Each structure stands twice: as structure tokens, then as C-alpha cells.
Amino acid sequence: MTSSSLPPSPIPLLTSVASYRQWRQRAFDERKSVGFVPTMGALHDGHLSLVQKSLAENELTVLSIFVNPAQFAPHEDLATYPRTLPGDLELLTAQQVTVGEAVRKASAVFLPSVQDMYPSGISQDVSAQRGAFIEMKGYGHQMEGASRPNFFRGVATVVTKLFNAVQPTNAYFGQKDIQQALLLRKLCKDLLFPHPEADHVHIVPTSRDPNDGLALSSRNAYLSANERKFAPALYKALQYAESAWSNGESKDRCISRALAIISEVKAQAVVDGVDVRLDYIEMNDSETFDVLDASSNNQSVAGDIPMILSGALWVGKTRLIDNIVVGDLNRIII
Ligand code: AMP
């Protein structure tokens, strides 16, 4: 994006890695902590909850907006992904947190170009790609990775680039994308990242619609009013599975209960002319990401380790994801 096409903003907009680096150097010189919230834009209250946490915990906060081509498969929605920069800047400008005497607001918005982020170019067709890419072996093929085979390669690659550019003290990710957040912690640990260190990658709880629990997502904007009515089905199904799990039922039984909810909603949706289709609901170990055995239950799995109950649901042409961490999110070890 060129500076002349940018909307007016009281927060400095840094559109190149070079201009960002100058800004970052000043923060290093002044020994100020920098919190970082990477996003693809189309900001909503979920993103803003990450910003609030960063403002509270850091002297400076940087938010990036970059729609990353490498994490979209050729058949996915890169071209139509919502791009709402003027509205995003308005929302971000309104955010503030008071810490002691100081009122903290976002310090900079990083808006790199595709050319800056992918100097060797970027094709969505993996077989045609050239240059450096990051693969998290063993952690990218379960849950979301089972349905989107190159997704986490694209995410790990872009976040590596963003971390190299932004050099944050702390980084903030949403539980909404739990596998992504955990995988990125492992990335920082495995590659010995100094900025941020793995234990400075923070996970913020999922923000939901207060009325029906639907996880906030930029992709919710794709839903028609009719489709929106059926979108909370996934969270409801996950809640049923969670409650069965806490009652000591086997994993298979918990998943069956969730599937029964989806079938009910699907039948109602057909009557309204809405196509509801489950991609997956699964329960996985939060450390290894392995699928839990069918017969396991809350007595048989190691006491303290949280489990990830997650799923993806198509409502019309929109793919929605959600998860519940069964157990204490803070006990997840990487
Ligand atoms: P995105 O713009 O979708 O790539 O998301 C940017 C960051 O915001 C990621 O760390 C997401 O996990 C997080 N995020 C997205 N939706 C929510 C939500 N409903 N609650 C909390 N964090 C979220």
C-alpha cells in the first residue's frame, strides 16, 4: 500500500519493513517493551481484546494488518477476504488503557506490502513457490491442518517474517485459533527466537457474541442473516461434548453427542434453505496434538493436561472454526 492511498490516522502507519525498523530501533534505544498483535484486518472485538491485553502489559503496542497469501489454498477466499482499513483504524484509535498515570494507546500500525513480506514472490500453489518457508513438522497435520494441509506452513512462515521485522517483547494470539497459537509458541521455542521468547507468546480467550456464543470472526461478515441463525451450532455442539466429557463419558461418546447436535441443526437449516455441513469435530492432546483414543475419558487421560475440543463447520460457503480447551489453558506446556 502506498502512503498516498492510506486513510488519515492519528496512529503512525508504517508501510515498509525499513520504516518499521527505524521506529523499532527507537523503542530499543529507549528500552521500552513492545507488544505485538498480528492480524489480517477486518477488526472486531476479538482482535481488540488482544490489543487491550497488549496495552495493559507493554509500554508500546504495534498491530499489523497483512492478508497473508501463503496461508490460503488456491481454492480459498484470499481475493474476497474482507479488507476494511479505514474502519479498522477507527476501531484501533478508540482503544486505550490506563496504567497508573499513563493512558496507553496503540503506538504504530504495521502494514507491510506483499512484496516486502515475500521478496522472492509468492504463489498460492505450493509446488510453484520459491524462497524460504517454515514447516512445523508433526504439529501441522491435525485438527485445522487435516482440512487445510498447507495452512500452518503459511502461518509459521508469515509469523516468522513478522517476528523478524517487528521484534516484539510480547506477542498476543487468540484462543479462537488455538492450534495456531500453540504451534507458534513451539516455533519460537524450536528456532530460539529472542523476540518474542516462547513464553512471551500469550493466548487470549475467545471473544463471543454475548447472545448466542458465536465466536467473533472476520469471516462472520460473509454470513447472510438466514445463515447467521445457524452459525452458533458448532459452539453448542462443542459445549455438549465438553459436558459429556466432564460426566466421564468416553471420547467417542462425547463426539457422538456433538454430532447429534449438528444433525439436529442441519435438519432445521434445510427447512430454511441453508446448507450446514460439518467438516470435523475432534478431541486432541494439547501438547502433542494427537487425536485422543476413542475409549479415553477424563479418568484415563493424564490428570492436569488440558484437551482441545475443536471443530469446523460450513454454513453455506462460510467455514467457521471454534474450540473449547477442557482444563486450564495456562497448564498447557510447550
Ligand atoms: P485474524 O485476523 O483472523 O488472523 O486474527 C488475528 C488474531 O486475532 C489471531 O491471533 C486470532 O486468533 C485472534 N482472534 C480472532 N478472532 C478472535 C476472537 N473471537 N477472540 C479472540 N481472538 C480472536
Side-chain angles (χ1 to χ4, degrees), residues 49 111 127 182 248:
S49 70
L111 300 166
S127 67
L182 294 172

Side-chain angles (χ1 to χ4, degrees), residues 38-41 44 46-47 50 81 173-174 176-177 180 205-207 216:
T39 81
M40 297 205 301
H44 50 67
H47 297 113
L50 274 58
Y81 195 84
F173 293 91
K176 157 95 187 327
D177 302 278
Q180 165 176 286
T206 305
S207 295
L216 303 185

Side-chain angles (χ1 to χ4, degrees), residues 57-105:
E57 295 181 354
N58 299 276
E59 292 160 291
L60 304 174
T61 287
V62 178
L63 177 130
S64 67
I65 299 178
F66 180 70
V67 182
N68 172 35
Q71 71 190 65
F72 289 80
H75 63 275
E76 292 181 343
D77 55 344
L78 174 63
T80 54
Y81 195 84
R83 288 161 171 88
T84 58
L85 184 58
D88 290 351
L89 295 175
E90 266 178 43
L91 286 173
L92 189 60
T93 304
Q95 299 305 304
Q96 63 176 51
V97 163
T98 306
V99 179
E101 304 277 279
V103 176
R104 290 185 181 163
K105 292 176 152 253

Side-chain angles (χ1 to χ4, degrees), residues 5-287:
S5 60
L6 290 172
S9 163
I11 307 170
L13 307 180
L14 305 171
T15 56
S16 67
V17 173
S19 61
Y20 176 82
R21 285 202 160 125
Q22 280 182 2
W23 181 92
R24 183 65 180 99
Q25 190 54 52
R26 281 199 300 279
F28 273 128
D29 293 346
E30 292 168 11
R31 298 181 181 280
K32 290 192 168 156
S33 56
V34 172
F36 178 40
V37 180
T39 81
M40 297 205 301
L43 300 187
H44 50 67
D45 282 349
H47 297 113
L48 300 179
S49 70
L50 274 58
V51 170
Q52 289 282 322
K53 188 128 171 69
S54 176
L55 290 172
E57 295 181 354
N58 299 276
E59 292 160 291
L60 304 174
T61 287
V62 178
L63 177 130
S64 67
I65 299 178
F66 180 70
V67 182
N68 172 35
Q71 71 190 65
F72 289 80
H75 63 275
E76 292 181 343
D77 55 344
L78 174 63
T80 54
Y81 195 84
R83 288 161 171 88
T84 58
L85 184 58
D88 290 351
L89 295 175
E90 266 178 43
L91 286 173
L92 189 60
T93 304
Q95 299 305 304
Q96 63 176 51
V97 163
T98 306
V99 179
E101 304 277 279
V103 176
R104 290 185 181 163
K105 292 176 152 253
S107 315
V109 182
F110 182 43
L111 300 166
S113 65
V114 173
Q115 170 61 33
D116 245 4
M117 293 297 283
Y118 291 95
S120 304
I122 181 67
S123 165
Q124 285 173 267
D125 173 2
V126 170
S127 67
Q129 288 174 349
R130 293 176 158 212
F133 290 86
I134 303 287
E135 198 181 336
M136 287 295 292
K137 287 202 171 288
Y139 297 112
H141 63 276
Q142 314 87 336
M143 299 179 266
E144 276 302 280
S147 296
R148 305 180 73 190
N150 295 305
F151 175 70
F152 287 114
R153 178 175 177 273
V155 168
T157 299
V158 79
V159 173
T160 298
K161 289 164 182 271
L162 286 168
F163 283 171
N164 278 338
V166 174
Q167 304 207 35
T169 319
N170 290 292
Y172 297 85
F173 293 91
Q175 184 195 326
K176 157 95 187 327
D177 302 278
I178 185 71
Q179 186 177 7
Q180 165 176 286
L182 294 172
L183 176 141
L184 293 173
R185 264 195 198 156
K186 291 177 196 291
L187 169 79
C188 291
K189 189 175 184 189
D190 279 359
L191 293 184
L192 315 180
F193 272 59
H195 301 292
E197 290 179 7
D199 57 358
H200 289 207
V201 173
H202 306 281
I203 305 177
V204 180
T206 305
S207 295
R208 301 182 176 281
D209 182 303
N211 296 317
D212 59 16
L214 175 67
L216 303 185
S217 165
S218 305
R219 288 192 167 99
N220 292 352
Y222 296 150
L223 297 167
S224 68
N226 213 13
E227 289 170 342
R228 173 65 184 77
K229 291 191 286 185
F230 302 101
L234 177 58
Y235 185 48
K236 191 172 165 201
L238 294 173
Q239 285 177 305
Y240 268 76
E242 181 194 26
S243 127
W245 180 260
S246 54
N247 288 337
E249 294 189 25
S250 67
K251 186 207 88 169
D252 250 17
R253 192 83 197 108
C254 297
I255 302 288
S256 301
R257 289 193 182 272
L259 298 183
I261 299 293
I262 299 291
S263 299
E264 257 176 47
V265 173
K266 197 178 162 79
Q268 292 159 11
V270 169
V271 178
D272 268 24
V274 173
D275 181 29
V276 168
R277 188 163 46 86
L278 185 69
D279 182 341
Y280 71 94
I281 288 185
E282 194 43 279
M283 205 162 178
N284 298 63
D285 184 294
S286 62
E287 286 174 23

